[in-house]
């Protein structure tokens, strides 16, 4: 008798990915669909839910079901994840009313962040929700919507993230996982692990809040319309899903206290798990994936998106750029870069920060610039890890995941932070975690699905260079902040 198959699909910033995995952990099929993120104005980042989220999902599922060794009748459960926290306003029937406003890279609600912080109190927000209000928070974006798009707001009754929209389309259920809800600041109470109804009514009056579930909890089954759209059999269980970074942590089983994940994606994201709520004014404190866990998270506004920008700018390809950068010594021959090309999230929370390159001479070329970009993101990781330590988080092990986890990049990061990084067999990412959570929901032991196969140790010679360079990185931001803000304000005013 054939083994059951579990599907996992993740909606990313620049592409979506899916896997079909057998109960023993063997990946039977993979699928990827690239897509574009709309930037209708500076600081705005949006996805059309129909042509990106749902179209990617249905296309990926059909591709997986058509692969050799995957039979639709063998699919035992489906797990989903996606970028977040996002805001997709919808009417009472769940129909999207405008494109989704994306996570912290979208900085349109700056005024509303300041307004709500003054209204509710910064300390009270941190104490009750676990995180300060930043561009990552959903609450200020809800108020922005009410203020700037009143016609849309009048029709809004529900809101979705990428994962919860997929769950709704598959099952008809209006549900959000606890972790994603925990990033809807200030609408969620971290200690009570439920919606903060008083603040929700104050921030978003009339909004129907979704039911809450844990990411690996089955919340419904595939209904007939979804079966027709996807090719999935009716009645297949669907888990609640979550935000991609936490599904990624599940993919490498980095869910125990002290487990720390570094996710190399379009943006760099870090999570560290703990046994109790953790709070820091420069980080995000949330629930974990499991009911007994909590998490402290950090996220940079760029990483892979920065290297992709350089690839497009130079007209080259990643393999060539990496090969050239490998021949450049640490320190990029005197170049130093700030990676704030889309503002910065943690630990600066500065949407008006801007990218900076200093030390340029006529001898520098694309190889030095590319290595400087990798080093800039590595310094950003170090900055965030220092904030983790400040918050009292315990870092027992570091696991690297994502598309950049098998390259020069991880070597540079380990040297910059002075810590080893474990590399799992599969770095395909969140979709594997989605499949694992779906399997666990049906009682499957997934402990051996994704073993650690390598460890990247810090190069001590590189580390000495980066220890000298890191203080300059921190100083450069302080020295150029007022100039960056003035330039950002000038563009915003256009």
């Amino acid at each position: 008798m054939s083994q059951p198959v579990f599907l996992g699909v993740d909606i990313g910033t620049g592409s979506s990915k899916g896997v079909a995995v057998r109960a023993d952990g063997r990946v039977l099929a993979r699928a990827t669909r690239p897509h574009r993120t709309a930037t209708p104005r500076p600081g705005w980042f949006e996805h059309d839910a129909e042509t990106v989220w749902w179209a990617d999902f249905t296309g990926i599922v059909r591709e997986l079901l058509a692969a050799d060794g995957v039979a639709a009748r063998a699919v035992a459960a489906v797990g989903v994840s996606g970028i977040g926290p996002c805001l997709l306003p919808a009417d009472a029937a769940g129909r999207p009313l405008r494109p989704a406003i994306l996570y912290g890279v979208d900085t349109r609600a700056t005024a509303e962040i300041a307004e709500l912080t003054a209204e509710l109190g910064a300390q009270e927000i941190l104490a009750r929700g676990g995180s300060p209000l930043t561009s990552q928070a959903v609450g200020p974006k809800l108020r922005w919507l009410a203020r700037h798009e009143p016609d849309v707001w009048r029709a809004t009754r529900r809101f979705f993230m990428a994962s919860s929209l997929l769950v709704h389309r598959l099952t008809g259920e209006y549900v959000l996982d606890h972790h994603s809800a925990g990033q809807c600041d200030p609408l969620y109470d971290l200690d009570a692990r439920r919606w903060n109804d008083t603040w929700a009514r104050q921030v978003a009056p009339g909004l129907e809040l979704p039911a809450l579930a844990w990411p690996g909890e089955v919340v419904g089954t595939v209904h007939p319309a979804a079966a027709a759209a996807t090719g999935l059999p009716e009645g297949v269980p669907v888990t609640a899903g979550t935000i991609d970074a936490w599904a990624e942590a599940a993919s490498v089983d980095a869910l125990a206290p002290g487990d720390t994940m570094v996710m190399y994606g379009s943006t760099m994201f870090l999570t560290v798990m703990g046994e109790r709520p953790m709070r820091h004014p420069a980080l995000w404190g949330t629930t974990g994936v499991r009911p007994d866990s909590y998490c402290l998270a950090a996220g940079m506004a760029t990483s892979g998106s920065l290297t992709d920008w350089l690839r497009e700018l130079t007209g080259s390809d990643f393999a060539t750029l990496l090969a050239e950068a490998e021949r450049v010594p640490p320190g990029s021959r005197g170049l130093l870069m700030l990676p704030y090309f889309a503002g910065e999230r943690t630990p600066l929370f500065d949407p008006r920060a801007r990218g900076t390159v200093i030390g340029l001479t006529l001898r520098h070329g694309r190889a030095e610039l590319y290595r400087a970009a990798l080093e800039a993101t590595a310094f950003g990781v170090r900055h965030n890890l220092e904030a983790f330590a400040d918050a009292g988080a315990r870092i027992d092990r570091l696991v690297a995941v994502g598309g950049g986890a098998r390259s020069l990049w991880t070597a540079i990061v380990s040297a910059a932070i002075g810590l080893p990084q474990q590399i799992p067999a599969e770095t395909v990412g969140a979709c594997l975690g989605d499949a694992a959570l779906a399997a666990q929901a049906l009682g499957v032991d997934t402990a051996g699905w994704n073993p650690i196969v390598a460890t990247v140790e810090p190069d001590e010679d590189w580390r000495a260079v980066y220890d000298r360079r890191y203080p300059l990185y921190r100083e450069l931001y302080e020295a150029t902040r007022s100039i960056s803000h003035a330039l950002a304000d000038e563009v915003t005013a256009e």
Side-chain angles (χ1 to χ4, degrees):
M1 183 176 177
S2 61
Q3 292 190 33
V5 173
F6 300 91
L7 300 190
V9 178
D10 174 66
I11 307 297
T13 303
S15 66
S16 299
K17 297 177 181 178
V19 289
V21 188
R22 215 164 58 180
D24 61 3
R26 181 185 170 195
V27 177
L28 299 174
R30 308 166 194 261
T32 301
R33 288 174 68 99
H35 55 246
R36 297 195 69 84
T37 299
T39 53
R41 292 181 58 180
W44 292 25
F45 292 84
E46 299 181 348
H47 275 169
D48 180 86
E50 299 292 351
T51 61
V52 177
W53 294 357
W54 184 238
D56 275 11
F57 179 81
T58 56
I60 283 172
V61 169
R62 287 193 173 278
E63 185 176 340
L64 293 173
L65 294 180
D68 290 340
V70 181
R73 65 181 180 276
V75 176
V78 177
V80 295
S81 64
I83 49 173
C86 300
L87 169 59
L88 175 67
D91 64 16
R95 291 184 292 260
L97 297 169
R98 73 174 316 282
I101 300 171
L102 300 195
Y103 53 100
V105 294
D106 187 288
T107 57
R108 73 184 70 193
T110 302
E112 288 73 21
I113 291 168
E115 179 180 282
L116 283 171
T117 299
E119 195 175 302
L120 303 175
Q123 291 304 315
E124 186 69 6
I125 291 168
L126 184 63
R128 298 195 66 179
S131 306
L133 291 187
T134 68
S135 63
Q136 190 82 346
V138 170
K141 292 174 182 177
L142 285 165
R143 182 165 283 190
W144 180 94
L145 186 67
R147 176 170 292 155
H148 294 276
E149 297 182 4
D151 291 342
V152 172
W153 179 248
R154 276 190 290 271
T156 299
R157 294 294 178 271
R158 295 179 168 187
F159 79 98
F160 293 98
M161 298 188 193
S163 59
S164 63
L165 179 75
L166 299 181
V167 169
H168 179 68
R169 289 286 175 89
L170 289 170
T171 69
E173 299 296 329
Y174 180 45
V175 62
L176 187 65
D177 69 286
H178 277 276
H179 170 74
S180 299
Q183 295 205 40
C184 291
D185 302 292
L187 309 185
Y188 185 85
D189 189 311
L190 179 60
D191 288 331
R193 299 199 291 189
R194 60 173 172 77
W195 292 116
N196 183 332
D197 293 325
T198 302
W199 280 2
R201 286 191 296 269
Q202 188 172 342
V203 174
L207 186 70
E208 178 191 348
L209 297 175
L212 294 172
W214 292 99
E217 189 177 342
V218 172
V219 293
T221 59
V222 174
H223 58 50
T230 63
L232 289 166
E234 291 180 36
V236 170
V238 179
T239 53
T242 191
I243 291 173
D244 53 6
W246 282 263
E248 196 115 30
S251 79
V252 292
D253 199 25
L255 301 177
D259 284 351
T260 305
M261 180 197 71
V262 182
M263 184 176 80
Y264 295 76
S266 296
T267 65
M268 189 77 80
F269 210 87
L270 300 92
T271 63
V272 60
M273 300 299 171
E275 298 167 302
R276 58 185 61 84
M278 296 177 283
R279 294 172 171 84
H280 190 284
L283 299 167
W284 301 304
T286 69
T287 63
V289 172
R290 295 170 177 158
D292 59 349
S293 67
Y294 293 89
C295 179
L296 206 56
M300 297 166 62
T302 64
S303 59
S305 56
L306 176 55
T307 57
D308 195 46
W309 174 78
L310 275 169
R311 178 190 59 80
E312 290 186 358
L313 189 69
T314 60
S316 187
D317 58 79
F318 284 126
T320 300
L321 287 168
L322 275 172
E324 291 177 353
E326 284 175 345
R327 296 193 289 270
V328 175
S332 302
R333 297 194 173 103
L335 286 191
L336 180 61
M337 183 183 292
L338 295 181
Y340 311 142
F341 283 56
E344 186 54 298
R345 298 191 287 169
T346 64
L348 300 180
F349 291 138
D350 184 358
R352 296 188 296 160
R354 291 295 179 263
T356 302
V357 183
I358 193 168
L360 280 166
T361 69
L362 294 175
R363 67 186 287 229
H364 291 120
R366 66 186 186 188
E368 287 83 8
L369 279 168
Y370 195 78
R371 179 152 190 144
L374 299 182
E375 291 173 347
T377 57
F379 292 143
V381 171
R382 179 166 171 170
H383 196 181
N384 279 295
L385 289 179
E386 287 178 351
F388 278 177
D390 243 8
R394 190 178 84 235
I395 298 176
D396 293 340
R397 70 181 184 117
L398 224 61
V399 186
V401 298
R406 293 180 180 272
S407 68
L408 170 67
W409 205 351
T410 43
I412 288 174
V413 170
S414 275
I417 64 178
L419 294 171
Q421 294 176 84
Q422 296 178 351
I423 309 296
E426 289 282 353
T427 58
V428 68
C431 56
L432 180 62
D434 299 330
L437 289 171
Q440 291 164 20
L442 298 194
V444 175
D445 181 2
T446 64
W449 271 27
N450 197 11
I452 299 300
V453 295
T455 300
V456 178
E457 297 287 349
D459 182 298
E460 292 303 318
D461 292 335
W462 290 13
R463 183 179 177 183
V465 174
Y466 295 143
D467 281 348
R468 294 194 301 271
R469 187 60 60 86
Y470 179 67
L472 300 179
Y473 170 87
R474 296 289 301 274
E475 186 180 339
L476 181 58
Y477 168 69
E478 297 298 334
T480 59
R481 178 169 52 183
S482 62
I483 297 172
S484 290
H485 287 185
L487 294 172
D489 293 343
E490 184 179 295
V491 173
T492 303
E494 288 179 353

